[in-house]
Amino acid sequence: MAKSGAAWGIDIGQSALKALRCRPHESDEGRLVVEAFDYVEYPKLLSQPDADPDEIVREAIGTFLERNELKGDRVAMSVPGQAGLARFIKLPPVEAKKIPDIVKYEARQQIPFQLEDVVWDYQALAGGNQEEGYALETEIGLFAMKRDQVARSLEPLLRAGVEIDFIQLTPLSLYNYACFDRLGDVVKESYDAENPPQSIAILSIGVDTTDLVVTNGFRVWQRSIQIGGSHFTKALTKELKLTFGKAEHLKKNAAKAEDPKAVFQAMRPVFSDLVAEIQRSIGFCTSNNKWARDLGEVVAVGNAMKLPGLQRYLAQNLDIPVKMAEEFENLAGGSVTAQPAFQQNHLSFPVAYGLCVQALGKAQMSTNLLPEDIVMQRIIRAKKPWAVAAAAALMAGLAFNYSSYVSAYQTADVDNDWKQALSQAASTKQFTGGLESTNTDLKSKFDNISQMGKNLASNVDGRLLWPELWAALNAAIPKDTRPEEERQETPEDVMSREEVHITSMDCTHMEDLSTWFTAVQPLWKEAQSGRDIADEAEAAAATGEADPNAPPEEGAAAEAPPVEAAPVDEYAFDATGGAAAGDGTATAGPSGPGWVIQLRGHHFHNERGGRIGQQFLRETLIENLMNGSIQLPDGPPGPDGSPTMIDVSFAELGISHPVIVTKRRIVDVQYDPEAVEGDDANARVARGPAMDRGGFAADGQPKPPELWTLRRLDFVVQFAWKPTLRHSRELARQGIVEGAAVDGGGAGTL
């Protein structure tokens, strides 16, 4: 529906329905033109005990719609201030783009209901500024109303077929009226927080409540006072023993009463209470808001201000000039505002005036409490005709396009000119399909033969995988290479030999080696960095600074043992083949199927003053596993047909990431050099007849054998192994493939 450019402001009060129809002035943007008004007075006040508010409001709206046409006009309505919630919050300096998030947080704190149960809106008040994207001196107004109350307010108008575009609280409508009609020149200037403009107060006395709005055009403060015109009527009914209707008539005509003094004497307590509440509210506002301290005047509106003597009484007791809103300076009406009905009730139209200002987009406060679901329904409904028109245009275009192709097709002689060409095309397609089928069959046969060749090569080379691993380990284990005649059977010579003793080897097959590496990654990083905490303690003991295994001297207090890294003892596998310890995250480690090989052993190369403990192990066994190589018949056949021996690195064999998974300390052991070969070194003690071992002493008693004290380190080493076939390594050297690993399959223990 096309908009007319005019707007209706409807104020459904407690005693009457007030409405104004305005449109922008043609030549002056700061003024409005009133084109129509209506004042529908109720037969009874809505707050009277015997009144039916819903029925009275429905009848008033019906009367209003009979007199006026709203089609094409924007419509704004007001709701009482006490029906909603208003909060004014000063924000700290914050990025402007984050203001909506902060406001939503404040809404959850300030609104005493779930946000889903209320309709709320906010607006930043004029006068703030921004510097480098940050909002400074920003004050926002936060307004909310429960959804059920909004629905009750909308129900009579929606039932009558009136579509509401704006819902505003009555105090904020008065604020918009004041800014547009009373402070129009002030709000056009820039706001100076240190020197704010003079403020005014709008006092709107209604039937049951009085709305007090204090503003300087940029900031606003409002409060609803629970005293209104009906309280004067109730005072008369109580003091003069009158019915409510007679008391209401007497109040409106107090100056013509038989005893005016008695009438005013009966209403005097209400006068006093009203003034006291207004004084208390103004005092609270001015004491808490720096901008409101210079209060220039009070503008009184509402038909209750017609009560004789009320204006003078307020001015005398408030000590502030109280002026009646005799005319609307920026509202051009001509013959409309000159009508007697308008002149008689002009004090009751400021709320409707403020609603028109907002509906025409000229208001300082533009918040809207209309539920979003209603707005969305109207947007969809408004777009439906355009959607239907677009669909119709699309169908028309498709139909035209189809008809053009049909017309072009009908101009061709398919039976004669195209018949031979179509037949040739079909024949060519059939021939092509046969070739594609033949190609697919040949490709499948080739893949089968190729796979058979790979399997045969794997069967031949696969037999060598474990022998190659055994040869590599044999080459990697450090040995004492001195000739037999240079060796000395002394403890010192044994501890100087650069050799490592491997007592057992275990292997476990894993579907994904990254599971194992995740657990040992911290140990791998430690191996890359060099010495660990245990090595520091061992080195200190080796240089004579402190012997961690020596007993304290007599008479001296035992020192605390040296700090060690947390032990990872006897590294084990869980039932799934994964690691049972460790919590690291694998990065750049082995992955895919393969084997984890575990070596268990010990060494005696722990003589003080040299490489000892795990440092010796890293520089020998670990270094060999990482960078070693062996001679294998991997080269092309020689002239006589024999294979060529070449150096093959352990990495090419698939060996990688060796780690020491135990952190044991060096311990002293008693070693019997005469023990039977093959006994564990830690258990080599004297055995057999004494004469065969140590002989007999002078007293005839068996002489114990001579035992050596050696320094021994037990360890467990693990590494990953992804077996590679010989022909795959050859292809990788030729650059044909990057390298191929095979899954050795199964699991076992050697």
Side-chain angles (χ1 to χ4, degrees), residues 347-363:
L347 288 177
S348 64
F349 284 105
V351 174
Y353 185 4
L355 292 172
C356 289
V357 171
Q358 178 174 353
L360 294 174
K362 298 179 179 296

Side-chain angles (χ1 to χ4, degrees), residues 501-584:
H501 304 275
I502 301 299
T503 58
S504 67
M505 183 179 83
D506 299 311
C507 54
T508 296
H509 184 265
M510 304 189 72
E511 294 299 329
D512 189 358
L513 287 173
S514 63
T515 304
W516 164 79
F517 188 70
T518 298
V520 301
Q521 183 187 0
L523 303 175
W524 169 253
K525 291 182 178 178
E526 181 182 279
Q528 303 305 301
S529 63
R531 299 169 67 90
D532 62 2
I533 299 175
D535 291 335
E536 299 294 339
E538 294 167 358
T543 55
E545 298 177 5
D547 187 352
N549 298 305
E553 296 181 5
E554 185 176 355
E559 296 182 359
V563 178
E564 296 185 2
V568 183
D569 194 11
E570 301 294 343
Y571 192 85
F573 298 99
D574 62 18
T576 62
D583 57 357

Side-chain angles (χ1 to χ4, degrees), residues 297-545:
E297 63 179 5
V298 176
V299 179
V301 299
N303 279 345
M305 286 301 302
K306 296 179 182 179
L307 189 64
L310 179 57
Q311 178 186 1
R312 184 178 62 181
Y313 185 83
L314 292 174
Q316 289 176 350
N317 289 274
L318 295 177
D319 199 22
I320 303 174
V322 179
K323 299 180 180 179
M324 303 276 279
E326 297 294 344
E327 60 181 12
F328 302 129
E329 298 178 1
N330 292 329
L331 189 65
S335 60
V336 176
T337 56
Q339 295 182 30
F342 186 89
Q343 292 294 326
Q344 184 179 357
N345 298 287
H346 75 281
L347 288 177
S348 64
F349 284 105
V351 174
Y353 185 4
L355 292 172
C356 289
V357 171
Q358 178 174 353
L360 294 174
K362 298 179 179 296
Q364 287 288 100
M365 186 66 67
S366 58
T367 54
N368 188 1
L369 296 181
L370 185 68
E372 293 183 0
D373 52 349
I374 296 179
V375 176
M376 185 58 63
Q377 290 175 4
R378 293 179 183 173
I379 293 175
I380 294 174
R381 186 179 61 193
K383 292 183 179 296
K384 279 183 178 179
W386 295 99
V388 173
L394 179 62
M395 292 299 296
L398 293 175
F400 176 78
N401 185 57
Y402 176 75
S403 63
S404 63
Y405 278 106
V406 171
S407 177
Y409 178 77
Q410 290 176 348
T411 60
D413 189 352
V414 179
D415 293 337
N416 296 322
D417 298 339
W418 289 63
K419 187 174 183 179
Q420 183 178 359
L422 291 174
S423 177
Q424 291 177 352
S427 177
T428 303
K429 180 179 179 182
Q430 183 179 4
F431 177 72
T432 303
L435 293 179
E436 289 180 348
S437 177
T438 302
N439 179 67
T440 302
D441 294 340
L442 293 176
K443 184 176 182 299
S444 177
K445 291 179 180 179
F446 172 81
D447 292 340
N448 292 335
I449 295 173
S450 176
Q451 186 62 39
M452 290 172 61
K454 291 180 180 179
N455 293 338
L456 290 173
S458 298
N459 290 336
V460 175
D461 290 348
R463 298 177 300 173
L464 303 176
L465 294 177
W466 287 97
E468 288 176 351
L469 174 65
W470 186 264
L473 292 179
N474 190 52
I477 297 172
K479 305 175 185 63
D480 187 7
T481 58
R482 295 180 300 169
E484 187 70 27
E485 59 272 11
E486 295 182 8
R487 300 185 185 183
Q488 300 178 11
E489 293 301 324
T490 62
E492 293 76 11
D493 184 76
V494 171
M495 287 192 292
S496 66
R497 296 175 185 173
E498 295 191 357
E499 60 183 9
V500 172
H501 304 275
I502 301 299
T503 58
S504 67
M505 183 179 83
D506 299 311
C507 54
T508 296
H509 184 265
M510 304 189 72
E511 294 299 329
D512 189 358
L513 287 173
S514 63
T515 304
W516 164 79
F517 188 70
T518 298
V520 301
Q521 183 187 0
L523 303 175
W524 169 253
K525 291 182 178 178
E526 181 182 279
Q528 303 305 301
S529 63
R531 299 169 67 90
D532 62 2
I533 299 175
D535 291 335
E536 299 294 339
E538 294 167 358
T543 55
E545 298 177 5

Side-chain angles (χ1 to χ4, degrees), residues 191 288 347 391 449 482 520 584 596 611 637 661 677 681 684 736:
Y191 179 69
N288 287 276
L347 288 177
I449 295 173
R482 295 180 300 169
V520 301
V596 175
R611 298 175 301 165
V661 296
E677 288 296 329
R684 289 180 176 178
I736 299 176

Side-chain angles (χ1 to χ4, degrees), residues 10 17 22 32 52 66 72 101 105 192 228 279 290 336 371 415 428 460 465 535 570 595 605 663 704 734 743:
I10 301 176
L17 183 150
C22 302
L32 299 181
D52 184 356
E66 290 175 0
D101 296 331
Y105 172 79
D192 184 3
Q279 287 176 330
K290 179 181 177 181
V336 176
D415 293 337
T428 303
V460 175
L465 294 177
D535 291 335
E570 301 294 343
W595 293 81
H605 193 278
K663 293 192 181 234
Q734 297 174 12
D743 184 1

Side-chain angles (χ1 to χ4, degrees), residues 16 92 106 216 598:
E106 290 291 342
N216 61 2
Q598 175 173 286

Side-chain angles (χ1 to χ4, degrees), residues 24-281:
H25 198 280
E26 295 181 356
S27 58
D28 189 351
E29 294 183 356
R31 304 189 71 194
L32 299 181
V33 177
V34 58
E35 295 185 336
F37 79 95
D38 204 346
Y39 185 87
V40 182
E41 187 172 5
Y42 305 151
K44 295 180 180 180
L45 299 180
L46 298 184
S47 57
Q48 284 185 234
D50 57 343
D52 184 356
D54 295 337
E55 182 63 27
I56 293 175
V57 170
R58 278 197 296 269
E59 291 179 357
I61 292 174
T63 302
F64 167 71
L65 294 178
E66 290 175 0
R67 300 176 183 175
N68 304 277
E69 178 62 45
L70 276 64
K71 186 176 182 180
D73 296 341
R74 297 184 182 90
V75 180
M77 67 170 292
S78 65
V79 291
Q82 66 270 21
L85 177 142
R87 294 287 187 272
F88 299 94
I89 306 167
K90 191 170 184 180
L91 302 181
V94 67
E95 291 184 68
K97 63 182 181 181
K98 293 185 178 180
I99 289 180
D101 296 331
I102 295 178
V103 171
K104 189 170 184 178
Y105 172 79
E106 290 291 342
R108 295 186 183 279
Q109 307 302 315
Q110 300 288 341
I111 300 175
F113 305 101
Q114 295 293 331
L115 293 187
E116 295 77 11
D117 298 334
V118 299
V119 180
W120 66 283
D121 198 1
Y122 78 95
Q123 179 177 324
L125 302 183
N129 57 82
Q130 291 190 19
E131 292 184 7
E132 298 181 356
Y134 281 82
L136 306 176
E137 299 294 331
T138 302
E139 185 173 347
I140 63 160
L142 179 65
F143 312 102
M145 189 173 177
K146 293 192 69 174
R147 288 186 179 273
D148 55 350
Q149 292 180 317
V150 174
R152 282 198 296 270
S153 301
L154 284 172
E155 193 271 336
L157 288 166
L158 294 179
R159 178 177 293 184
V162 180
E163 291 191 351
I164 303 299
D165 297 290
F166 302 92
I167 298 179
Q168 187 60 275
L169 297 175
T170 296
L172 298 182
S173 298
L174 293 171
Y175 166 66
N176 286 333
Y177 148 72
C179 292
F180 185 82
D181 198 79
R182 312 288 299 196
L183 303 171
D185 296 333
V186 174
V187 297
K188 295 178 182 178
E189 301 175 359
S190 60
Y191 179 69
D192 184 3
E194 299 299 326
N195 186 26
Q198 190 178 52
S199 302
I200 65 171
I202 308 297
L203 186 66
S204 175
I205 303 179
V207 173
D208 295 324
T209 60
T210 297
D211 290 319
L212 177 64
V213 179
V214 181
T215 180
N216 61 2
F218 299 93
R219 297 289 186 267
V220 61
W221 182 89
Q222 61 91 21
R223 185 191 174 209
S224 293
I225 301 172
Q226 301 303 311
I227 299 176
S230 64
H231 290 75
F232 293 98
T233 305
K234 293 176 182 178
L236 291 176
T237 60
K238 181 179 179 181
E239 296 296 330
L240 302 181
K241 311 300 181 183
L242 300 174
T243 63
F244 191 90
K246 291 182 178 180
E248 182 69 17
H249 178 77
L250 182 61
K251 180 188 71 173
K252 294 180 179 180
N253 302 277
K256 301 178 182 180
E258 296 180 359
D259 188 359
K261 183 177 180 180
V263 174
F264 287 107
Q265 191 68 27
M267 294 189 296
R268 186 175 184 83
V270 183
F271 276 81
S272 300
D273 292 343
L274 178 61
V275 169
E277 286 295 323
I278 295 173
Q279 287 176 330
R280 188 165 66 89
S281 300

